[in-house]
Amino acid sequence: MSTVNPCATFVSINFLGGSPLNRFSWLRTSQVFVDAILRSSSTRWIVFKSGQPLVVSHKDKPKLRSLARLTTADVKPLLGPEPYLGQAQKDGDIASHGTSALEVARLRGPKIIFLGLEEPHGTTAILPSSDFSAKGGLPEVVAERVTGTPYFSLDVSDVEAPALDVVLQNNQLAKDGGQLEFSEARAAMNSMNWFDAAVFAEARSMVDWNARNRFCSSCGSPVYSLWAGWKLACTTLLPWEVKEGERQCASIGLNNFSHPRTDPVIITVLVNETGDKILLGRNAKCNLPFYSALAGFMEPGEAFEDSVKRESWEEAGVKVWDIKYHSSQPWPFPASLMVGFYATASESQEIRIDLDNELTDARWFTREEVLAVLNHPQGTNLSPMSTSKPGERDPPFRVPSKTAIAGVLISDWAHGKSLDAHSASPRL
């Protein structure tokens, strides 16, 4: 006889979410730990060039593409001289233990980011940071304790083509008949399984952040990588750059501009008071008859609920209440977090799209109208070239697919799976 935990709640995991790797964030500062897993034969590398992931397919199944997973041996020609991480002032020197400005630092060569460890199913490693201190052991001993597949990301945007071509042609995937190529990121994402998509979301956001932020936002000096790609520091803080008596850069210490950023975006489907219609909008930038949830970036000093109310008013001119959280989705273009909500609005309110002019249309749709589009073969196909088959009518409009959280919100409501966002409650 099975029992149900009365305290359990349903958790919706969206495409690009799920974060399948144990990120070991507390060990990003451990030179011993990172050295050990970087050199492991089980380690795999996700490679990017100008934001495009390296993918692999085979001649017999060219449309089935997945993230290319290269070994450390494969990418070694691209990494430059050792040490790969924990670099010091001179080539070949390793940073001395206890120098915070050089904790797992990379000063030269393509950017490297430690993504995490894919652990054997049902296991979670217990690895206290004290076990990986300079006194705690050697890299080869550490490696024996780590089971699973470590993942790193490598940005080869600045690698010269001849050197990169050699690596792409001389790796085990290519030798096994795989076709390797850098793919436009969104196109690649659409062919990924859920595991690859979640790893891709982390890797692309981190690669983009490292590439985009090349200078200190405080003093304008170049920055360098710390913590295996997870922190950027001002080069004026390097031990050999600090001059006695000079004022230190204001970026010293734990500051937000030294760490990766995530930008929350509110995604909201408005539901009428009887729960049988939703309000969707058509963005001015879209040429297709494409309707989606209302959306917008959060602003400083806002709670999620504040942002939902503001965006609903700015885009459609309606007041909302009874705001219900649904789920969230990382969106690595470049580093957003889509946060999904339902909110109630009165159908009697005048819809106005002339406040911020982001929409060309906003209207209420019935459940039957939405289901008809969802059930149409082209209902979620957003390609401008997509057309129905001969003799088949085009859908009256299109909506996002379930690879985007807006599509999940719309589909869940249409199929009666949404949260109870329609109960009568005081207007806020």
Side-chain angles (χ1 to χ4, degrees), residues 45 106 108-113 153-156 207 210-211 213-214 223-225 232:
W45 294 75
R106 185 158 174 84
R108 295 170 289 276
K111 294 291 179 66
I112 290 175
I113 299 136
S153 188
L154 178 67
D155 185 1
V156 297
V207 164
N210 274 272
N213 296 277
R214 295 177 180 247
V223 295
Y224 65 98
S225 172
L232 295 174

Side-chain angles (χ1 to χ4, degrees), residues 30-40 94 131-134 136-146:
S30 170
Q31 186 71 40
V32 175
F33 172 77
V34 177
D35 270 347
I37 58 175
L38 187 150
R39 299 172 190 279
S40 170
I94 190 166
D131 289 0
F132 301 96
S133 64
L138 299 172
E140 57 267 24
V141 177
V142 173
E144 292 179 359
R145 295 191 53 199
V146 177

Side-chain angles (χ1 to χ4, degrees), residues 107-373:
L107 306 172
R108 295 170 289 276
K111 294 291 179 66
I112 290 175
I113 299 136
F114 168 57
L115 300 176
L117 178 71
E118 179 192 5
E119 296 175 305
H121 181 69
T123 66
T124 300
I126 306 297
L127 301 176
S129 56
S130 58
D131 289 0
F132 301 96
S133 64
K135 301 177 182 178
L138 299 172
E140 57 267 24
V141 177
V142 173
E144 292 179 359
R145 295 191 53 199
V146 177
T147 59
T149 304
Y151 278 85
F152 283 81
S153 188
L154 178 67
D155 185 1
V156 297
S157 302
D158 297 327
V159 174
E160 294 184 0
L164 182 57
D165 290 341
V166 170
V167 169
L168 297 183
Q169 295 166 12
N170 294 279
N171 59 76
Q172 196 58 50
L173 290 175
K175 292 175 182 177
D176 291 340
Q179 309 297 308
L180 279 74
E181 62 177 342
F182 289 98
S183 170
E184 194 281 322
R186 291 175 189 261
M189 178 189 76
N190 290 333
S191 65
M192 292 178 188
N193 62 32
W194 282 64
F195 181 93
D196 276 12
V199 173
F200 163 79
E202 177 189 356
R204 190 181 190 281
S205 290
M206 288 302 300
V207 164
D208 182 273
W209 176 73
N210 274 272
R212 190 185 296 264
N213 296 277
R214 295 177 180 247
F215 299 95
C216 176
S217 58
S218 178
C219 72
S221 300
V223 295
Y224 65 98
S225 172
L226 283 172
W227 299 2
W230 286 85
K231 184 178 180 181
L232 295 174
C234 180
T235 49
T236 63
L237 304 178
L238 289 167
W240 51 87
E241 296 291 344
V242 175
K243 296 179 176 62
E244 188 175 351
E246 284 191 1
R247 184 178 178 180
Q248 286 187 312
C249 175
S251 67
I252 189 171
L254 201 62
N255 295 290
N256 286 337
F257 47 70
S258 298
H259 297 269
R261 60 182 291 172
T262 296
D263 303 313
V265 178
I266 298 302
I267 310 293
T268 308
V269 168
L270 305 189
V271 186
N272 68 351
E273 292 171 291
T274 55
D276 58 0
K277 291 183 182 180
I278 55 174
L279 187 146
L280 303 176
R282 178 178 176 179
N283 192 280
K285 297 178 181 179
C286 185
N287 294 325
L288 289 171
F290 171 63
Y291 286 81
S292 186
L294 305 186
F297 284 96
M298 284 189 68
E299 294 188 349
E302 282 188 329
F304 287 131
E305 295 82 358
D306 299 328
S307 187
V308 168
K309 286 185 271 188
R310 176 180 56 79
E311 287 291 345
S312 299
W313 170 250
E314 290 179 355
E315 292 195 357
V318 297
K319 299 290 187 179
V320 302
W321 67 96
D322 197 19
I323 298 165
K324 302 286 188 179
Y325 169 77
H326 180 276
S327 59
S328 61
Q329 178 186 37
W331 194 255
F333 301 101
S336 295
L337 178 66
M338 307 300 195
V339 190
F341 293 90
Y342 293 108
T344 303
S346 173
E347 194 179 350
S348 64
Q349 295 182 77
E350 178 188 4
I351 296 175
R352 299 200 50 169
I353 58 172
D354 59 342
L355 299 179
D356 64 7
N357 291 299
E358 287 192 17
L359 304 179
T360 56
D361 188 29
R363 66 176 75 169
W364 292 96
F365 294 95
T366 66
R367 182 170 276 106
E368 290 71 22
E369 289 175 313
V370 174
L371 284 171
V373 170

Side-chain angles (χ1 to χ4, degrees), residues 14-61:
N14 296 306
F15 190 67
L16 296 169
S19 194
L21 305 181
N22 186 339
R23 300 190 182 192
F24 287 114
S25 59
W26 66 94
L27 292 176
R28 292 169 185 159
T29 60
S30 170
Q31 186 71 40
V32 175
F33 172 77
V34 177
D35 270 347
I37 58 175
L38 187 150
R39 299 172 190 279
S40 170
S41 61
S42 62
T43 292
R44 295 296 179 266
W45 294 75
I46 309 302
V47 182
F48 285 83
K49 182 180 180 182
S50 301
Q52 297 185 339
L54 183 66
V55 298
V56 60
S57 60
H58 291 269
K59 289 183 178 179
D60 56 338
K61 296 180 180 179

